[in-house]
Amino acid sequence: MPEEDIMDHAEHGYISNKDDYLRRLRRIEGQARGLQRMVEEEKYCIDILTQVSAMTKALQAVSLGLLEEHMNHCVVRAAQEGDAEGKAKVDEAVQAIARLVKS
């Protein structure tokens, strides 16, 4: 792996929990396939909605975890450096939070 790629990956706060995130996302992927199957099999609407809710909560948990990692790693580091990057990282995090709240 080229040095700049290693540096790029080292900057992401979630790297230490990457396997956990991948495991959770694979589980969510399985839930999505299960939802498709339920619709194909014309399952009861409320049962499908219950599964949609479970999948939504799982996605929200991943989102909140990634946001927390970003705040604790990327934003804190940028703020410590004290330049314009710190403000940009905070603004970026605020925008991400706004998108999560809207969804």
Side-chain angles (χ1 to χ4, degrees):
M1 187 177 279
E3 187 174 330
E4 64 262 6
D5 288 345
I6 292 169
M7 291 304 294
D8 236 10
H9 287 108
E11 294 181 16
H12 301 306
Y14 67 86
I15 292 298
S16 62
N17 295 317
K18 179 180 173 181
D19 290 338
D20 292 334
Y21 283 112
L22 288 172
R23 199 171 11 265
R24 292 167 87 179
L25 290 167
R26 286 185 190 109
R27 196 168 30 241
I28 292 166
E29 183 180 26
Q31 287 176 298
R33 284 192 303 272
L35 281 167
Q36 292 171 5
R37 199 168 30 257
M38 290 177 80
V39 171
E40 286 170 355
E41 296 171 0
E42 300 177 7
K43 298 294 183 182
Y44 186 56
C45 297
I46 297 301
D47 293 339
I48 295 170
L49 290 170
T50 299
Q51 293 307 310
V52 168
S53 177
M55 188 174 158
T56 300
K57 287 178 185 173
L59 280 169
Q60 288 171 340
V62 168
S63 297
L64 290 174
L66 287 169
L67 180 61
E68 180 179 6
E69 305 250 12
H70 179 69
M71 297 291 290
N72 286 325
H73 184 267
C74 301
V75 174
V76 167
R77 190 183 71 234
Q80 289 170 340
E81 291 173 3
D83 57 8
E85 184 183 353
K87 170 106 173 71
K89 289 290 184 187
V90 170
D91 291 344
E92 184 181 62
V94 168
Q95 290 170 6
I97 292 167
R99 285 191 303 271
L100 287 172
V101 170
K102 289 180 184 177
S103 61

